[in-house]
Amino acid sequence: MDHTIQGSLRLPGDKSIAHRALMIGAIAQGDTTIDHLPDGGDVETTIDVLVALGVTSERSGQHITVHGLGGFHWQTPANALAMNNSGTTTRLMLGLLACPPAPLLLTGDASLSQRPMARITDPLRLMGAQMATTEGHLPIRIHPVRTLHGADIQLTVASAQVKSGILFAGLQATGDTTVTGPVHTRDHTERLLQKAGADISRTGLTVHIKPLQAPLQPLQIDLASDFSTAAFWIVLATLLSDSQLQLPGLSLNPTRTTLLDILVRMNGDFQVVDFPQAAAAEPMGTLQVNSAKLTSTTVDAAESARAIDELPLLALAATQAAGRTVIHHIDELAVKESDRRAATESILRSCGATIDRQGDSWVVPGPVALHAPDQWPDLPADHRMAMLQIAAALVAGAPVPTTVPPVVAVSYPELTYDLTKLVTSR
């Protein structure tokens, strides 16, 4: 069965930006308004944590107004702060709560409790924070300290979440803080903090932030659509013949669109048909995606670090590209919400693809005619892996699904409706 994609789709707002805007709004002086707020469990986790800390808000549909505290004036929560399955909430909140007025306990679900947290708690300790992890994982206890102090932090692993947590701590410190990473990662936090009036700048791979001298200003933003969610549709529309898809209001922040750079190198066919920026917190516009016959490429470590969430979908695209695609720096996938490195390999191999792991790299020859297996492999409860399996099944000619795994609701509860609206069979 052949499928094609035709139409236009405004996707949910960008979760990465939403988390940061909600947190900045919580410590700003005045009311922050956010439109196009996405549904999903991870954003709800951030909202619930802020409520437990004394932040009030009103929500109507995709609009929320956050009443800022005018600083780090947290209320002591009655219970542990439940991070659920949200790694973004956890790592950013650790920085935001690095100097609390009373002891705090952060917990997570079974999956999140396996993810490494020392990469954020270690640099925060260098700034004076008192944090006790459970062998480098959640649960984490944060103890009050008199003050934080600025520090020069060198990151060995590229992580926008870790960088953001340090920047939030730097706002509360005495003295300046710098964060230097191995590559330039997502800069949503820097953009939003600058818009809110923080003294923040970047030179090369180093971000410099000064402590707050006055409360942050509230934000009024319309969230761009989430690029990581769009990647599912971008890869599908590229691989399914005769497809033409428009994605309006999409985040076109260059620190998020590395997947497009790679696919263009592989002969992908994209056009930005409008690029409105007036009053936008982030570059955003309409992306048109057309089907294309891909060729192989080599993805270096810096590109992989910037496109880490999209690497599984890129591996699927590589199975349909002519030649031998090599994707470096895949080990970081093993410590995401699940072991996405192993799950990606299982999904693609079950469809008949070859994907070889060589050290910290994948080697994927193509093109290969995929087939939907009689029995899919058991997968972890990870929304991105569930969406990869759906995409692989459609490329293999399986029927358009009428239901999707419940875990997809964490990031994309509208997926079933959008699939039936846009994907047609021939």
Side-chain angles (χ1 to χ4, degrees), residues 35-75:
D35 287 302
H36 204 53
L37 189 75
D39 294 323
D42 42 2
V43 172
E44 294 301 327
T45 293
T46 290
I47 294 172
D48 290 345
V49 168
L50 293 175
V51 168
L53 291 164
V55 181
T56 59
S57 60
E58 287 93 38
R59 186 172 180 180
S60 176
Q62 294 183 323
H63 176 88
I64 190 169
T65 299
V66 180
H67 306 300
L69 299 175
F72 297 85
H73 309 306
W74 307 118
Q75 171 183 295

Side-chain angles (χ1 to χ4, degrees), residues 34-334:
I34 305 170
D35 287 302
H36 204 53
L37 189 75
D39 294 323
D42 42 2
V43 172
E44 294 301 327
T45 293
T46 290
I47 294 172
D48 290 345
V49 168
L50 293 175
V51 168
L53 291 164
V55 181
T56 59
S57 60
E58 287 93 38
R59 186 172 180 180
S60 176
Q62 294 183 323
H63 176 88
I64 190 169
T65 299
V66 180
H67 306 300
L69 299 175
F72 297 85
H73 309 306
W74 307 118
Q75 171 183 295
T76 302
N79 301 299
L81 295 172
M83 302 292 114
N84 301 318
N85 189 243
S86 180
T88 304
T89 305
T90 306
R91 292 191 174 113
L92 270 61
M93 288 303 305
L94 283 169
L96 211 63
L97 299 174
C99 189
L104 298 173
L105 176 64
L106 277 61
T107 63
D109 68 6
S111 173
L112 183 61
S113 296
Q114 298 301 311
R115 297 185 65 185
M117 293 296 159
R119 58 180 59 181
I120 175 63
T121 57
D122 284 353
L124 292 177
R125 288 190 187 109
L126 291 176
M127 300 175 70
Q130 295 294 315
M131 296 182 173
T133 69
T134 304
E135 297 181 348
H137 301 86
L138 290 167
I140 296 174
R141 293 188 179 276
I142 310 176
H143 300 283
V145 293
R146 184 178 300 276
T147 187
L148 300 175
H149 53 80
D152 296 324
I153 306 295
Q154 300 282 332
L155 300 181
T156 57
V157 177
S159 172
Q161 294 176 0
V162 172
K163 175 181 65 174
S164 297
I166 295 167
L167 293 176
F168 282 150
L171 294 173
Q172 310 166 64
T174 58
D176 299 353
T177 296
T178 62
V179 188
T180 304
V183 299
H184 184 34
T185 55
R186 299 177 183 181
D187 64 357
H188 305 308
T189 303
E190 297 96 303
R191 288 173 179 268
L192 291 173
L193 283 175
Q194 187 172 56
K195 190 174 180 67
D199 191 339
I200 186 168
S201 59
R202 180 171 65 88
T203 303
L205 298 177
T206 299
V207 181
H208 184 283
I209 191 164
K210 292 181 177 293
L212 286 179
Q213 301 300 314
L216 293 174
Q217 303 162 14
L219 301 169
Q220 286 77 43
I221 62 172
D222 180 13
L223 290 178
S225 292
D226 181 38
F227 187 86
S228 292
T229 303
F232 171 88
W233 291 103
I234 291 168
V235 169
L236 266 184
T238 296
L239 299 183
L240 299 181
S241 60
D242 301 321
S243 294
Q244 187 175 81
L245 174 67
Q246 286 200 346
L247 298 169
L250 183 64
S251 172
L252 296 175
N253 183 319
T255 66
R256 292 295 299 278
T257 57
T258 300
L259 174 68
L260 294 182
D261 300 333
I262 297 168
L263 288 175
V264 165
R265 199 165 68 232
M266 297 173 73
N267 198 42
D269 186 358
F270 312 103
Q271 296 87 39
V272 176
V273 296
D274 70 78
F275 200 79
Q277 291 198 30
E282 295 262 334
M284 57 191 291
T286 298
L287 181 73
Q288 181 168 304
V289 186
N290 306 302
S291 58
K293 298 295 185 183
L294 298 181
T295 57
S296 60
T297 192
T298 296
V299 181
D300 64 31
E303 290 176 316
S304 288
R306 293 193 298 270
I308 190 69
D309 287 338
E310 293 81 50
L311 291 189
L313 286 164
L314 183 61
L316 171 61
T319 70
Q320 304 305 296
R324 178 177 174 270
T325 294
V326 180
I327 303 173
H328 295 295
H329 189 62
I330 61 169
D331 285 354
E332 183 68 11
L333 288 169

Side-chain angles (χ1 to χ4, degrees), residues 316-394:
L316 171 61
T319 70
Q320 304 305 296
R324 178 177 174 270
T325 294
V326 180
I327 303 173
H328 295 295
H329 189 62
I330 61 169
D331 285 354
E332 183 68 11
L333 288 169
V335 293
K336 300 295 283 184
E337 282 82 342
S338 68
D339 185 347
R340 291 178 177 169
R341 181 184 58 183
T344 298
E345 293 165 3
S346 295
I347 291 168
L348 296 184
R349 286 171 184 157
S350 73
C351 296
T354 297
I355 176 168
D356 294 326
R357 190 191 306 176
Q358 298 182 5
D360 190 19
S361 304
W362 278 328
V363 178
V364 186
V368 175
L370 301 183
H371 63 267
D374 294 332
Q375 181 68 43
W376 288 96
D378 291 333
L379 292 179
D382 184 329
H383 61 286
R384 295 204 193 280
M385 293 299 93
M387 290 174 68
L388 175 66
Q389 180 175 301
I390 292 168
L394 291 171

